[in-house]
Amino acid sequence: MLPRLCSISTARIESIPANLTVTANPAEAYSKRGNIYFDRGDYDRALGDYNAAIRLKPDYANAYNNRGNVYNLKGENDLAIADYDQAIQLNPDLVVAYYNRGFAYNDQGEYDRALADFDQAVQFKPHDAVAYAYRGLAYYFQSDYDRAIADYDQAIQLNPEGSDAYINRGLAYYQKGDADQAIADYNQAVRLNPDDAYAYAGRGSAYDEKGEYDRALADYNIAIQLQPDYPNAYNDRGVTYNKQGAHDRAIADYDTAIQLKPDYAIAYVNRGMAYFATGDTPRAIADFDHAIQLKLNRFEVYYKRGFAYASQGQYDRAIADYDQAIQLKPDYATAYENRGMAFYRKKEYDRAIADYTKVIQLAPDFVSAYYNRGLAYQYNGASDKAVDDYKKVLELSSDPGLRQDAQDQLKLLGAQ
């Protein structure tokens, strides 16, 4: 779930007249008609009118800002930013141009530049709740949740009746692991706007985090009822169903999420996990493939696909995926352990031992790594080292099954 853009996303200039009339300023007339087309979603005609306005009046800052919004909505961020640059150059006090350029930078992942623009907006409008709310978004996307919360606090103080700031602050608290505070904020958002699907979906995620799955499902159901074309709500409900073991229901929800948003990479990953849980590993791998094709370059995806490959005995492919997961997250101990297991299955014991040793360096209490390294040492002829690892298992583990396995191996080695 992503933060909600508050109040004036893609902010434009000038009120829209009920009837377009000829004025002494034809550039203004084109710009205003462009605004009408913009609000109707007819972006090509809006673009044509903004172009005409700029041709007639090359120093028309408002028209550049508005044309930038069209480019932004058409996914042409570079052109949008160029227009916002020009608008700001022509009118350095045009606050909405800073907002809009900040959004465009956010879309490109240039969060420092976005933050600089929102800082500028706050300086221009220190008593404007929207300015703080937008800067909070920039901090959120930098994972600076404490600063994001501070800005949302300020936005709420300036505008206590604005539900979006509560929703976004709730999400920041959720990311910090404070589900209770997140729920409190979502409750307030629901009170202020009972028909806001986003607030219910956010609260559902917080309940899911607390393990209160029935409450989570109830909130997702309301969100979907309020907004049937909301892909995130289906995806998140699928996650809760999957945790409950209702894999078929989860898959059905992921199907709907993907149908509504075909490039929804996370939904492919989640559906892949549900397929894997049902034993349909080929479909799971296909979904992980699709997520990676959609440029979801996250360590978890490669790790999950690697695990799926390993379950089918495709150890070389599994190792390649674990390699990628480790490259993306070098301190990912579990990936080293599973790569070690793949090397072990290939009888490449030295490489398995190296990976298990890395796991222990990263997480000295990772008990299974000692047991698995003991097996690799044992098959590699290093019985003394294997004994030390099995004894370490007995020292660290309270798991009866693992302790029994370690005792069995020690008995085989004559080292009880």
Side-chain angles (χ1 to χ4, degrees):
M1 183 171 174
L2 294 175
R4 167 76 65 77
L5 296 182
C6 310
S7 301
I8 55 167
S9 60
T10 57
R12 288 188 293 101
I13 312 296
E14 304 161 349
S15 60
I16 300 175
N19 297 297
L20 185 65
T21 58
V22 177
T23 70
N25 185 345
E28 182 179 348
Y30 275 111
S31 183
K32 288 183 176 180
R33 190 173 70 178
N35 292 346
I36 295 172
Y37 285 135
F38 183 96
D39 280 358
R40 291 176 179 173
D42 192 344
Y43 301 125
D44 289 332
R45 285 186 174 179
L47 184 61
D49 273 351
Y50 294 141
N51 286 339
I54 290 167
R55 281 196 303 271
L56 290 165
K57 189 179 179 183
D59 61 350
Y60 197 176
N62 294 356
Y64 281 104
N65 174 78
N66 295 345
R67 189 176 70 176
N69 292 337
V70 176
Y71 285 134
N72 184 282
L73 288 172
K74 289 166 72 70
E76 300 180 57
N77 266 16
D78 290 337
L79 291 175
I81 289 170
D83 270 353
Y84 298 139
D85 288 344
Q86 185 66 18
I88 290 167
Q89 183 177 341
L90 291 167
N91 183 359
D93 297 331
L94 193 60
V95 178
V96 291
Y98 291 99
Y99 287 146
N100 291 332
R101 190 172 66 179
F103 291 137
Y105 282 137
N106 252 343
D107 289 343
Q108 294 192 156
E110 298 184 56
Y111 302 127
D112 289 335
R113 285 185 166 183
L115 185 58
D117 275 343
F118 295 134
D119 279 340
Q120 190 68 36
V122 168
Q123 290 178 24
F124 277 119
K125 290 193 170 185
H127 303 296
D128 184 2
V130 172
Y132 291 98
Y134 285 168
R135 191 172 67 179
L137 288 175
Y139 283 130
Y140 176 90
F141 283 114
Q142 288 186 318
S143 300
D144 191 344
Y145 303 123
D146 289 330
R147 285 187 175 178
I149 289 168
D151 269 349
Y152 296 138
D153 289 344
Q154 187 66 23
I156 289 167
Q157 184 177 341
L158 290 167
N159 180 18
E161 300 303 309
S163 63
D164 287 345
Y166 285 104
I167 290 173
N168 289 342
R169 189 174 69 177
L171 184 54
Y173 277 124
Y174 173 85
Q175 294 293 348
K176 281 171 60 70
D178 191 344
D180 289 328
Q181 188 59 56
I183 289 168
D185 273 346
Y186 291 129
N187 286 342
Q188 185 67 4
V190 168
R191 185 189 69 80
L192 291 167
N193 187 358
D195 295 328
D196 192 334
Y198 211 85
Y200 289 101
R203 192 172 67 181
S205 295
Y207 280 134
D208 177 273
E209 186 68 17
K210 287 169 61 69
E212 298 184 29
Y213 299 133
D214 289 339
R215 283 185 164 183
L217 291 174
D219 271 346
Y220 294 138
N221 290 341
I222 295 171
I224 290 167
Q225 183 178 358
L226 289 168
Q227 191 174 330
D229 61 349
Y230 186 9
N232 291 43
Y234 289 100
N235 174 76
D236 294 350
R237 189 173 68 177
V239 170
T240 301
Y241 278 139
N242 210 38
K243 289 180 179 179
Q244 290 186 315
H247 304 305
D248 290 338
R249 284 187 170 184
I251 290 168
D253 270 350
Y254 299 138
D255 288 344
T256 302
I258 290 167
Q259 183 179 353
L260 290 168
K261 187 180 179 182
D263 62 348
Y264 198 175
I266 290 293
Y268 281 102
V269 174
N270 290 336
R271 190 174 67 179
M273 293 171 63
Y275 278 134
F276 186 79
T278 65
D280 194 343
T281 305
R283 279 189 172 181
I285 290 171
D287 271 348
F288 298 143
D289 288 345
H290 205 130
I292 290 168
Q293 290 166 12
L294 289 169
K295 311 298 183 186
L296 188 64
N297 194 35
R298 288 169 52 170
F299 72 92
E300 305 102 309
V301 187
Y302 289 98
Y303 171 78
K304 293 177 193 302
R305 190 174 68 176
F307 194 88
Y309 278 135
S311 74
Q312 290 195 317
Q314 299 184 57
Y315 298 120
D316 289 333
R317 286 185 168 182
I319 288 166
D321 272 348
Y322 293 140
D323 288 346
Q324 187 64 26
I326 289 166
Q327 183 178 340
L328 292 168
K329 188 174 173 63
D331 61 348
Y332 192 18
T334 304
Y336 284 103
E337 183 181 48
N338 280 282
R339 190 175 68 178
M341 292 174 70
F343 282 131
Y344 176 85
R345 296 294 183 188
K346 286 168 59 66
K347 302 187 187 309
E348 297 183 30
Y349 300 122
D350 288 335
R351 298 179 82 177
I353 289 165
D355 271 349
Y356 294 137
T357 300
K358 182 65 175 179
V359 174
I360 292 165
Q361 290 171 354
L362 290 169
D365 293 334
F366 206 127
V367 181
S368 60
Y370 290 100
Y371 180 80
N372 289 328
R373 190 175 67 175
L375 289 176
Y377 276 137
Q378 191 172 343
Y379 281 96
N380 214 28
S383 298
D384 291 344
K385 290 182 177 180
V387 167
D388 289 341
D389 274 347
Y390 295 140
K391 288 182 176 179
K392 192 69 174 178
V393 171
L394 295 177
E395 176 187 330
L396 294 175
S397 179
S398 59
D399 178 81
L402 187 58
R403 290 180 62 83
Q404 185 62 54
D405 288 342
Q407 288 169 346
D408 290 344
Q409 295 304 321
L410 287 170
K411 185 176 181 180
L412 283 173
L413 293 170
Q416 275 191 310

